[in-house]
Amino acid sequence: MQAVQVKVLNPKITEDKAFSLPTRATDGSAGIDLRACIDEPLTIKAGATHLIGTGLAVYIQDPNYAGMILPRSGLGHKHGIVLGNLVGLIDADYQGELMVSIWNRSNEDFILNPSDRMAQYIVVPVARPEFEVVSEFSDESVRGAGGFGHSGRQ
Ligand SMILES: O=c1ccn([C@H]2C[C@H](O)[C@@H](COP(=O)(O)OP(=O)(O)OP(=O)(O)O)O2)c(=O)[nH]1
Ligand SMILES: [Mg+2]
């Protein structure tokens, strides 16, 4: 896969040692952590959602890949800090600032500090098949139109 181009939009990221370009916490980490590019601590009130910039533009370019923004499990499980859009899908042709919709789904206020690692980003392959309109599918699958728990719970 070709390199993903990253543009630093906010010089704070390279000038302020509290910040750094996104990194993987360990060599085996799938995600790179996205830092909150804010100047002051932000109180995210219980139930509130804020769109937070990363100060970065990430250009994938190859349309066979896309980016995804996902919550960090510790923030999500322990503090109720998840994404207002639940999952962020980043198009390969997107060249704007990578933004993170932070939703405080808990019943307690949460303070987001400058450079906090607020979410994580992965790049995934995307199959882009043509879509062929048909009157009947080529075969009848076992599942058919079953969904939403049709196979039961146990
Ligand atoms: O968490 C997110 C989700 C999206 N985006 C940016 C990148 C993405 O490529 C673009 C469009 O996202 P999406 O397709 O989900 O938004 P939309 O509501 O469909 O807007 P559009 O009409 O611009 O596609 O917004 C982010 O920066 N962060
Ligand atoms: Mg869209």
Side-chain angles (χ1 to χ4, degrees):
M1 177 185 175
Q2 71 185 52
V4 172
Q5 301 167 56
V6 179
K7 231 164 55 172
V8 176
L9 305 176
N10 188 320
K12 177 160 54 183
I13 290 178
T14 46
E15 291 164 8
D16 180 340
K17 61 179 186 312
F19 287 80
S20 67
L21 283 170
T23 53
R24 285 186 175 80
T26 65
D27 280 350
S29 294
I32 55 170
D33 292 333
L34 299 174
R35 293 182 182 274
C37 192
I38 53 179
D39 297 320
E40 303 292 334
L42 173 69
T43 297
I44 304 178
K45 307 212 46 80
T49 302
H50 290 263
L51 196 58
I52 309 291
T54 61
L56 301 169
V58 179
Y59 179 38
I60 297 171
Q61 189 176 29
D62 183 341
N64 297 303
Y65 295 89
M68 292 183 77
I69 298 181
L70 304 166
R72 292 185 66 200
S73 58
L75 288 179
H77 183 69
K78 296 172 187 171
H79 303 284
I81 297 300
V82 293
L83 303 179
N85 49 344
L86 302 184
V87 174
L89 178 59
I90 313 305
D91 302 291
D93 58 355
Y94 180 66
Q95 297 184 316
E97 181 175 6
L98 203 54
M99 303 299 289
V100 182
S101 172
I102 293 289
W103 170 33
N104 179 356
R105 64 168 180 76
S106 80
N107 52 19
E108 291 178 22
D109 293 355
F110 179 85
I111 296 180
L112 182 71
N113 292 303
S115 87
D116 272 357
R117 289 179 289 136
M118 61 182 163
Q120 57 188 326
Y121 174 85
I122 59 171
V123 176
V124 294
V126 175
R128 293 162 24 97
E130 292 300 317
F131 287 85
E132 176 196 353
V133 177
V134 297
S135 52
E136 292 301 332
F137 290 134
S138 55
D139 69 306
E140 282 200 26
S141 66
V142 170
R143 170 181 289 279
F148 296 93
H150 96 291
S151 62
R153 291 183 60 183
Q154 299 300 325

